[in-house]
């Protein structure tokens, strides 16, 4: 790292009058900036491609994708059937697929079964339908405890799963990515797919939450 | 390898503390770390399995301290040096070595959407028939390789049932080490919580893992 060998004047650091909101750039900011400029200068990466990648995950791929899949599964029994048989193909029908969603499996919550997704070994996550994973999903506390104490983990999110409901934890150890289909909330009969999708949070498709009720969403 | 990354079943790593107002990127360098990793990967000098292993090789105390994208950048620097794209001296100095030739990046802006849509499927046709079928009782092997593996420690030497056959997939234990894809059958295996965690475990809970044939024997 470039900053490792700098002579550090600690007094100078402490005398510096910090203006909130204008903190000096962090070590990581400097390190990544240095790496990026090196790679651009060597022609190894195209700056416009970097922008396009960031734009993809900031504006195009995110949990609204998964919410549309869930809403269609709730609305269309034939679609749900296809999702059960070949989730990758069914999700591709709506236009989603590719990176970190190449091989999809949908797991359905029912009155008797609740599903929870984790990756204990790294942070595998269905990017194509949920976007980039939140920090907690990638964190050691979640990765370590989801398999040994799923009910306790869900309780930390405020989700109490009844003792007589079976909990299935999906540890994403291969390239298969899991999407939880939460239960359709009561009182949503006749709702359009667009309205239903509004009830489907990212967390409900990981399994640490339920879909929002119409009252909670109002 | 039995590294700290293999943390399933551990206690004491703290509260989960989800942040309901978490931004997609906390600082711009995180977005850059993501983009650089994906764009540099387009050179094809390393596989997804090798990049996962590179993150596992970060020394345990550092691995636990680092944020996700800090691990990515640390691994990326090592992969790029190993892959012959940059030298350690260039990373340290931040400047191309004197006389280095400007390359032509394989991933251009117009190629990003197609590359993301293509992804990297890992299913492969194989000639041999799968050893196990749905409903078969299996036991995971007790293996402790020093290299990359996707059989977590908590699930070794445990009895389970095959619940789905995924066809053959690239075998990470080989592919991470430059030994080729060596595809083999991949199965979804259900292991009861009591089998994993003992008689005090939740009776109405099970863990499903996707496990390659080499990880399994007939029970």
């Amino acid at each position: 790292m470039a900053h490792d060998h700098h002579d550090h004047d600690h007094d100078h650091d402490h005398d510096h009058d910090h203006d909130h909101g204008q903190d000096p750039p962090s070590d990581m900011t400097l390190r990544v900036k240095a790496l990026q400029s090196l790679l651009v200068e060597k022609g190894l990466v195209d700056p416009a491609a970097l922008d396009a990648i960031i734009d993809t995950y900031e504006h195009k791929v995110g949990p609204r994708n998964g919410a549309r899949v869930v809403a269609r599964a709730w609305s269309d029994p034939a679609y749900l059937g296809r999702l059960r048989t070949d989730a990758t193909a069914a999700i591709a029908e709506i236009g989603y697929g590719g990176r970190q969603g190449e091989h999809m499996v949908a797991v359905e919550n029912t009155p008797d079964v609740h599903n929870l997704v984790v990756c204990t070994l790294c942070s595998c996550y269905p990017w194509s339908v949920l976007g980039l994973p939140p920090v907690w999903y990638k964190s050691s506390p979640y990765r370590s405890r989801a398999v040994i104490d799923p009910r306790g983990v869900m309780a930390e999110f405020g989700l109490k799963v009844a003792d007589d409901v079976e909990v299935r934890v999906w540890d994403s150890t291969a390239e298969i990515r899991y999407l939880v289909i939460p239960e359709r909330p009561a009182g949503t009969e006749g709702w359009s797919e667009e309205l239903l999708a509004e009830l489907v949070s990212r967390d409900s498709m990981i399994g640490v939450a339920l879909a929002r009720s119409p009252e909670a969403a109002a | 390898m039995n590294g700290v990354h293999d943390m399933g079943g551990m206690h004491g790593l703290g509260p989960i503390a989800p942040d309901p107002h978490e931004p997609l990127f906390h600082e711009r360098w995180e977005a850059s770390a993501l983009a650089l990793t994906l764009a540099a990967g387009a050179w094809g000098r390393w596989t997804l399995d090798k990049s996962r292993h590179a993150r596992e090789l970060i020394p345990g105390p550092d691995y636990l301290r680092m944020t996700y994208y800090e691990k990515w950048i640390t691994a990326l620097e090592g992969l790029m040096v190993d892959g012959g794209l940059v030298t350690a001296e260039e990373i340290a100095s931040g400047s191309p070595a004197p006389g280095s030739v400007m390359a032509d990046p394989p991933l251009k802006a117009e190629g990003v959407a197609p590359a993301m849509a293509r992804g990297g499927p890992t299913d492969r046709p194989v000639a041999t028939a799968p050893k196990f079928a749905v409903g078969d009782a299996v036991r995971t092997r007790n293996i402790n390789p020093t290299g990359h593996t996707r059989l977590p420690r908590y699930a070794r030497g445990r009895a389970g049932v095959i619940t789905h056959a995924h066809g053959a997939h690239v075998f990470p234990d080989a592919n991470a080490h430059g030994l080729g894809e060596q595809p083999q059958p991949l199965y979804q295996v259900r292991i009861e919580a009591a089998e994993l965690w003992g008689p005090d475990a939740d009776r109405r809970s099970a863990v499903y893992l996707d496990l390659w044939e080499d990880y399994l024997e007939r029970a």
Side-chain angles (χ1 to χ4, degrees):
Chain A
M1 284 180 288
H3 61 268
D4 272 357
H5 305 293
H6 284 189
D7 286 324
H8 238 82
D9 182 348
H10 289 274
D11 289 329
H12 173 83
D13 272 3
H14 289 290
D15 289 340
H16 187 76
D17 190 15
H18 283 279
D19 182 6
H20 285 286
Q22 293 182 31
D23 287 335
S26 68
D27 285 357
M28 284 309 298
T29 296
L30 296 172
R31 178 176 171 192
V32 174
K33 196 174 264 186
L35 182 65
Q36 178 164 332
S37 67
L38 172 68
L39 301 188
V40 169
E41 220 178 314
K42 282 176 72 77
L44 294 169
V45 300
D46 171 15
L50 301 178
D51 292 341
I53 291 168
I54 294 168
D55 180 63
T56 302
Y57 291 102
E58 282 192 324
H59 301 297
K60 293 174 186 155
V61 179
R64 301 323 304 155
N65 293 7
R68 289 190 193 103
V69 172
V70 171
R72 184 156 308 171
W74 285 346
S75 308
D76 179 348
Y79 182 77
L80 177 61
R82 295 198 294 282
L83 196 62
R84 286 172 177 157
T85 317
D86 183 347
T88 313
I91 291 167
E93 282 178 36
I94 311 188
Y96 313 132
R99 192 177 177 93
Q100 288 302 304
E102 294 91 342
H103 309 286
M104 293 294 307
V105 168
V107 288
E108 290 166 65
N109 288 350
T110 69
D112 303 317
V113 173
H114 183 89
N115 295 282
L116 179 70
V117 180
V118 66
C119 172
T120 61
L121 293 172
C122 47
S123 306
C124 296
Y125 188 76
W127 288 18
S128 60
V129 281
L130 298 188
L132 301 173
V135 164
W136 62 259
Y137 183 88
K138 304 176 285 192
S139 72
S140 303
Y142 183 75
R143 287 167 51 193
S144 58
R145 280 193 283 123
V147 283
I148 191 170
D149 183 20
R151 287 178 210 269
V153 162
M154 292 187 282
E156 284 185 46
F157 288 84
L159 175 60
K160 297 277 185 201
V161 176
D163 288 345
D164 61 347
V165 172
E166 179 186 321
V167 173
R168 295 180 180 172
V169 183
W170 301 85
D171 190 355
S172 315
T173 48
E175 299 308 323
I176 316 298
R177 297 290 168 266
Y178 290 91
L179 177 70
V180 175
I181 309 297
E183 283 189 274
R184 180 172 177 161
T188 58
E189 295 73 17
W191 282 37
S192 68
E193 282 183 34
E194 289 70 26
L195 274 176
L196 287 170
E198 296 299 317
L199 303 178
V200 185
S201 66
R202 175 196 69 201
D203 288 3
S204 74
M205 294 181 279
I206 305 173
V208 296
L210 304 180
R212 282 186 281 267
S213 66
E215 301 77 44
Chain B
M1 60 180 283
N2 293 344
V4 293
H5 71 280
D6 184 0
M7 55 179 66
M10 285 181 68
H11 293 130
L13 292 173
I16 295 166
D19 171 5
H21 306 294
E22 182 184 329
L24 187 64
F25 300 112
H26 298 77
E27 292 186 54
R28 287 321 288 174
W29 72 263
E30 295 190 341
S32 303
L34 170 82
L36 288 170
T37 300
L38 268 52
W43 281 91
R45 298 288 175 93
W46 55 85
T47 62
L48 182 62
D49 297 307
K50 185 170 167 145
S51 68
R52 285 207 183 103
H53 190 47
R55 290 171 206 142
E56 294 166 3
L57 288 169
I58 295 170
D62 297 332
Y63 183 98
L64 291 174
R65 177 186 49 77
M66 287 179 180
T67 66
Y68 177 73
Y69 288 115
E70 196 176 353
K71 284 176 219 164
W72 274 41
I73 280 293
T74 303
L76 176 63
E77 289 172 346
L79 289 165
M80 294 198 74
V81 171
D82 284 355
L85 293 173
V86 298
T87 64
E89 292 70 33
E90 287 176 321
I91 288 178
S93 73
S95 304
S100 45
V101 180
M102 177 103 173
D104 184 33
L107 183 66
K108 307 286 203 303
E110 61 273 19
V112 168
M116 296 296 128
R118 205 164 44 239
T122 55
D123 53 332
R124 300 287 184 272
V126 290
T128 51
K131 234 189 256 179
F132 305 113
V134 171
D136 282 0
V138 292
R139 180 172 292 277
T140 58
R141 290 210 161 100
N142 179 18
I143 54 168
N144 288 271
T146 55
H148 184 64
T149 186
R150 298 292 289 180
L151 176 58
R153 264 181 291 178
Y154 78 86
R156 294 177 190 164
R158 307 294 183 182
V161 176
I162 306 270
T163 49
H164 185 76
H166 293 297
H169 281 250
V170 173
F171 187 44
D173 303 40
N175 199 39
H177 295 285
L179 301 174
E181 294 189 335
Q182 302 190 29
Q184 56 170 271
L186 176 73
Y187 305 93
Q188 186 185 83
V189 179
R190 174 185 168 113
I191 307 182
E192 300 301 320
E195 171 70 8
L196 293 169
W197 316 113
D200 294 336
D202 184 351
R203 309 303 297 181
R204 293 191 59 76
S205 164
V207 178
Y208 290 75
L209 303 98
D210 291 314
L211 302 176
W212 279 265
E213 199 162 87
D214 270 10
Y215 298 164
L216 302 171
E217 55 198 15
R218 203 166 289 280

